[in-house]
Amino acid sequence: MSDNEAAKIATGSVFDPPDAPYFRFFVARTWPPGIERGAVDQWDRELAPSTELVSAWRLGEIDDAAFESRYEAELDANPSMLGWAVRTASLNGITLVDDFDSEPAPRTVLAAILARRIAEHQNGGG
């Protein structure tokens, strides 16, 4: 698990038991088989990257930088959900989990985006 203390953002796998004191948010468009819904505190598909974007990334059609840029553009199209995630991470902390078995994963890309947005806001940029 990685942890950004200033922003209170942790990441992990939905398959692992919680090991951070923060709200667990599932970052995916589809629910993985074999996982109980109680494994997370919340799941909203709109905070996850689109299935088309994830597919292009997994197939190597786009690189990590393009994935992050396009994912952030998708998030910007849903400012209320992104704003909620930024506020949650800033105030109470958030653990982003997904069902990827390797890094980078959507959870870590979203963590980087949230940390950047929080820093921009703290520096007067947002």
Side-chain angles (χ1 to χ4, degrees):
M1 170 162 296
S2 66
D3 196 0
N4 179 331
E5 289 300 324
K8 296 188 259 181
I9 302 169
T11 60
S13 171
V14 72
F15 300 107
D16 296 332
D19 65 351
Y22 309 137
F23 185 87
R24 281 174 59 96
F25 192 94
F26 185 56
V27 182
R29 292 283 172 148
T30 59
W31 192 263
I35 297 294
E36 297 286 330
R37 298 287 173 136
V40 300
D41 297 304
Q42 187 169 340
W43 174 41
D44 187 316
R45 292 171 179 91
E46 297 306 310
L47 199 58
S50 66
T51 53
E52 297 82 11
L53 182 58
V54 170
S55 178
W57 190 38
R58 282 185 162 174
L59 293 171
E61 296 169 1
I62 60 172
D63 63 14
D64 294 348
F67 175 80
E68 183 169 346
S69 176
R70 292 182 190 177
Y71 185 12
E72 191 161 12
E74 289 182 354
L75 292 169
D76 285 337
N78 191 350
S80 62
M81 195 68 213
L82 180 58
W84 171 86
V86 167
R87 285 188 304 281
T88 300
S90 297
L91 300 173
N92 304 319
I94 193 168
T95 300
L96 303 170
V97 298
D98 62 28
D99 57 346
F100 269 56
D101 58 1
S102 62
E103 294 289 347
R107 63 183 178 246
T108 53
V109 174
L110 179 56
I113 292 168
L114 294 179
R116 187 170 53 252
R117 294 292 179 100
I118 290 166
E120 288 169 359
H121 180 73
Q122 289 173 344
N123 293 327

